[in-house]
Structures are given as structure tokens and as C-alpha cells.
Amino acid sequence: MADPHILLSGDRLALGMPRQDMLPEYHQWESDPRTLLGYGAQFPQAWESRESGWERQRGNQSLQQFEVVRTVDQEAIGLTTLHVNGVLHTAEFVIVLAPSERGKGYAADAARLTLDWAFHISALRMVWLKVLEPNRAGVTAYEKAGFREAGRLRRSGYWLGQQVDEILMDALPEDFPGPSAVTAAVEA
């Protein structure tokens, strides 16, 4: 397995380039029942679909993905994605963490690093996400990263078979809580 190619380091986590040899691990994280519940998905993606989509994703400039790596041991623990709208200079944020790494504060750190990149390197003017209302841990992590509630889509999602609201959250550059790992790297 190749070593991670780190792009941006924070205190506990770093963002790196996704690695093809990690694709089975990524697929496992994405297929976990708690991940599917959080995404509001009904079924996991077939391995063949995930594998065949790898090359298309790599060449798609509108889909910027980062591997989330623990700095202490260089272990990959998740992925963050920015679905970029190049015309509007905005992006939708998506995250998946390895099931064993949830509940450790990594979601907020990974989201903050991804926002740091989005605002200070990609010069996006806004990043947004959707989160199912019962996912209180997700909402809290996103708030710590700088996201704010912007609205809701009533009964547009499902949580444990029940219709629930999706909360829309967004972050602007001035919402970024800092400190900026990008600024620290540039000024080093």
C-alpha cells in the first residue's frame, strides 16, 4: 500500500490525495449501515460501480476529494468531498469516516481542514451541506467546523424508516473558525 500523499496538515489530521489501492477500504466505509443511514441511502453501491467510477472521478474537476489521514500514524480514516460548482464558486461538502473512527472529534477537524482548503486555496465563496435532523453528532461537528444552519427541506429524508427534515447548512469564508493550516503552511 502506498504512503499517503499529504496536501495539507493540521494538528490531528491531514488532507491527502485519494489512493486507488485504498478503494476497497473506502467502499467498506461507504457501505457501513451507519454511513448509509447518515446519507439517507437505502442500499450500498455495488463494488463494481464504485470501482468503475474511480477513473471518472479522478478526471472530474467538479469533484474534489481528499483522503483524511491521522497525522500521528499516517493512517487513512476517512474521505471528504467538495462537489464544486465552478460557475457559482460554491461547493457541496460530503464526509465519510471509518466506522471505528467516529465519535472522536475527527469529523469537525476534517470538515475544518476541508473548509480551509476550500476558502484559502480554491477561493470558493460558500460551501454547503445537507444533514438529516436526527444526526445530532453530525450537526454539532459541522457547527464546530464553521457551518451554520441556513434552512431545511421538510420531510425530505429518512432516518430509521421515518420521514425527517434535512437541515441545510452553509459556511462563508468569514465563518471559518481558524486557525488556518493553509496560512501556516504558506508562511512557514
Side-chain angles (χ1 to χ4, degrees):
M1 191 169 303
D3 289 337
H5 176 154
I6 301 300
L7 300 169
L8 181 65
S9 289
D11 293 333
R12 298 191 316 153
L13 299 178
L15 298 180
M17 296 292 294
R19 298 173 281 167
Q20 188 168 7
D21 61 346
M22 286 290 296
L23 197 54
E25 192 85 12
Y26 302 159
H27 184 256
Q28 185 178 14
W29 301 339
E30 294 160 347
S31 300
D32 179 77
R34 290 175 294 168
T35 302
L36 296 172
L37 179 64
Y39 285 163
Q42 295 173 314
F43 302 101
Q45 182 181 36
W47 165 250
E48 295 79 9
S49 296
R50 181 63 167 106
E51 184 179 36
S52 69
W54 173 259
E55 286 304 318
R56 276 193 321 275
Q57 288 178 342
R58 301 287 26 104
N60 183 349
Q61 290 298 310
S62 297
L63 184 71
Q64 296 300 316
Q65 199 166 51
F66 302 98
E67 183 177 76
V68 179
V69 177
R70 257 192 327 253
T71 55
V72 68
D73 60 6
Q74 299 295 289
E75 186 75 25
I77 64 160
L79 293 168
T80 62
T81 306
L82 293 170
H83 295 271
V84 179
N85 181 325
V87 174
L88 298 176
H89 302 284
T90 64
E92 179 183 9
F93 172 81
V94 179
I95 186 171
V96 62
L97 289 178
S100 62
E101 302 303 322
R102 296 177 187 154
K104 300 177 182 179
Y106 290 144
D109 290 352
R112 186 175 18 261
L113 273 174
T114 306
L115 284 178
D116 197 359
W117 185 282
F119 295 141
H120 300 118
I121 292 180
S122 299
L124 296 177
R125 60 186 185 92
M126 187 268 290
V127 177
W128 64 278
L129 62 84
K130 293 188 295 187
V131 59
L132 295 172
E133 184 174 36
N135 185 355
R136 297 311 308 160
V139 171
T140 300
Y142 301 140
E143 288 173 342
K144 287 179 182 176
F147 285 96
R148 303 291 173 253
E149 186 171 333
R152 64 182 50 232
L153 301 171
R154 296 179 298 151
R155 293 189 307 225
S156 64
Y158 285 90
W159 185 270
L160 298 175
Q162 301 298 311
Q163 287 184 329
V164 297
D165 291 356
E166 286 183 284
I167 298 172
L168 297 171
M169 300 181 82
D170 66 6
L172 303 172
E174 56 266 25
D175 296 328
F176 181 73
S180 171
V182 170
T183 301
V186 170
E187 293 176 350

